[in-house]
Amino acid sequence: MTYSQMEAKTWEVGGKEGSRSAGWWNNMANYQMETPPGPKYIPGIASVLKISERRVEELVAEQWYGVRPDDEVPEPVRDLVPLLADVDPADMSTVEELLVILGHKHHLDKQRAEIEAGGEGGSETA
């Protein structure tokens, strides 16, 4: 299927509002897209690719956000993910450092509690 045919197919499915241009398909095929397609384009893309809309959504999540359907995000972390999307990429190393520090603190707090409870570490003091 040519990019022009793909454009025509998305026009059939989504009309003017849900269609994608031949140029868009070319950019998509060559990984030159900076932003993911919006939800209104999903039905047309699914039709062209002959896959389910759900699969298109999964592919978008994987390509643009690095998330796969089989990835597991712990419940307490799920509310943080949207917040991280708003962080400037230049600040992500700082966020990572902060998370490592807080993780170490949590680990040390657990060790201290075990020691105080007479568990691992015996009579050592923290």
Side-chain angles (χ1 to χ4, degrees):
M1 186 179 279
T2 67
Y3 298 136
S4 295
Q5 291 169 322
M6 294 170 132
E7 177 180 2
K9 184 73 171 175
T10 58
W11 181 272
E12 283 175 25
V13 173
K16 181 180 180 184
E17 291 299 312
S19 67
R20 300 280 57 192
S21 70
W24 184 89
W25 284 104
N26 180 43
N27 289 338
M28 177 64 74
N30 291 299
Y31 297 97
Q32 296 176 343
M33 303 296 297
E34 292 184 16
T35 58
K40 68 182 176 184
Y41 302 113
I42 301 296
I45 295 167
S47 177
V48 168
L49 299 177
K50 297 181 180 165
I51 59 177
S52 70
E53 291 180 28
R54 169 71 181 183
R55 183 64 183 131
V56 172
E57 292 166 347
E58 290 171 353
L59 292 169
V60 167
E62 186 172 348
Q63 182 172 344
W64 275 276
Y65 304 106
V67 176
R68 296 175 43 101
D70 56 351
D71 285 352
E72 298 225 5
V73 177
E75 187 66 38
V77 177
R78 289 183 187 161
D79 291 338
L80 299 176
V81 173
L83 298 174
L84 290 172
D86 292 334
V87 174
D88 186 322
D91 294 330
M92 288 306 282
S93 63
T94 303
V95 171
E96 184 176 354
E97 287 177 41
L98 177 61
L99 293 173
V100 168
I101 290 168
L102 292 173
H104 287 300
K105 177 188 175 295
H106 177 69
H107 178 72
L108 291 172
D109 288 345
K110 283 174 53 177
Q111 282 184 324
R112 181 178 295 122
E114 287 176 6
I115 291 168
E116 289 172 356
E120 189 177 297
S123 63
E124 295 176 31
T125 57

